[in-house]
Amino acid sequence: MRPLLIVMSAPSGAGKSTLCDLLLQEFPEITYSVSCTTRAPRGEEEEGADYFFLSQEEFDRHVREGLLLEHAEVHGNRYGTPAAPVREAIAEGQSVLMDIDVVGAASVRAYVAGLPAGDPLREGFVDIFVEPPSLEELRRRLEGRGEDAPESIELRLRNAAGELARAGEFMYRVVNDDLRQAYLRLRDIVLLRGGAL
Ligand code: ADP
Ligand code: 5GP
């Protein structure tokens, strides 16, 4: 397959992590881009595998030193993508999966659009928006996941409307109603863009 830069965004709770995990299980050769964040670890999250957990000062230093490909504030915390691992993976011909918010996705989209034609990052770029079947179901999933405080769930639901309004910016949209169907659509998109279909 051609190396892809796969950017996935969704309102929190839509099932993006679940879909990303399925993709990484089937395609272990895809490198997951581990983000930096100032939020506290949740549940079983591991440093360096799920996120690099940074203090505000460490995050500021990463921004100042130009170490992040993009960064944004999401639900009151800061998140950013370390640039070097993405560049290295693509240069080695490996695909990269980024799980980032709609603001970060717009930054990456603008960045790759500015690269010269033929640049592997530009050629392999694909962005996908995962949608929940409804806002009611989104609330059920956030509550069912049981990992966010009630205020955090309300904040995530309030932000969902603004995120859903930006779905049209993405090349592809996947409605995550039935998980299996949604995964098969995601898989088809990846195989198609990678030149394997
Ligand atoms: P996100 O990464 O988008 O915040 P998660 O992948 O953590 O969301 O999913 C949120 C919750 O919804 C989890 O408890 C997950 O198991 C569940 N979930 C994911 N996809 C579906 C689906 N298609 N149908 C029902 N529940 C789902
Ligand atoms: P969570 O706190 O639920 O792990 O993530 C909250 C939101 O932050 C999700 O929409 C997730 O995609 C986004 N996010 C995670 N990492 C990054 C990143 O590196 N950059 C940006 N812009 N958003 C990120």
Side-chain angles (χ1 to χ4, degrees):
M1 282 215 314
R2 169 223 312 244
L4 297 176
L5 177 59
I6 307 161
V7 171
M8 288 188 51
S9 297
S12 181
K16 175 168 39 90
S17 307
T18 305
L19 287 167
C20 286
D21 287 349
L22 288 171
L23 193 68
L24 293 170
Q25 266 168 37
E26 183 170 355
F27 301 96
E29 67 277 19
I30 298 178
T31 302
Y32 179 69
S33 162
V34 179
S35 297
C36 300
T37 183
T38 57
R39 115 162 136 60
R42 194 168 64 195
E44 307 273 282
E45 285 179 337
E46 271 179 50
E47 166 73 20
D50 297 289
Y51 282 106
F52 297 105
F53 296 98
L54 303 183
S55 65
Q56 295 288 351
E57 294 70 31
E58 288 169 327
F59 198 98
D60 280 338
R61 183 178 63 77
H62 277 64
V63 173
R64 248 192 343 264
E65 294 181 2
L67 302 177
L68 302 179
L69 191 62
E70 61 72 38
H71 59 96
E73 184 169 323
V74 194
H75 315 314
N77 294 301
R78 297 162 80 196
Y79 296 85
T81 304
V86 175
R87 295 214 176 92
E88 282 159 20
I90 299 282
E92 284 167 13
Q94 273 177 343
S95 294
V96 175
L97 175 61
M98 289 172 53
D99 166 347
I100 62 176
D101 86 309
V102 292
V103 175
S107 301
V108 178
R109 195 179 299 126
Y111 170 74
V112 300
L115 294 171
D119 186 291
L121 270 185
R122 179 171 166 160
E123 300 304 316
F125 178 76
V126 53
D127 58 358
I128 304 164
F129 188 81
V130 179
E131 287 177 82
S134 66
L135 286 174
E136 293 72 35
E137 174 63 14
L138 188 64
R139 174 183 288 280
R140 267 194 293 279
R141 289 186 191 171
L142 282 168
E143 289 175 350
R145 185 167 70 184
E147 287 181 356
D148 298 284
E151 317 81 77
S152 175
I153 291 184
E154 295 309 321
L155 180 62
R156 283 160 191 259
L157 285 169
R158 277 200 302 279
N159 291 341
E163 292 163 340
L164 286 165
R166 299 188 65 167
E169 296 174 17
F170 290 73
M171 290 161 99
Y172 295 96
R173 291 158 75 162
V174 173
V175 179
N176 181 20
D177 189 353
D178 175 73
L179 181 62
R180 188 75 210 146
Q181 291 299 321
Y183 177 65
L184 289 178
R185 172 153 164 74
L186 171 63
R187 182 181 189 275
D188 271 0
I189 294 167
V190 168
L191 291 173
L192 182 73
R193 303 298 300 188
L197 271 191

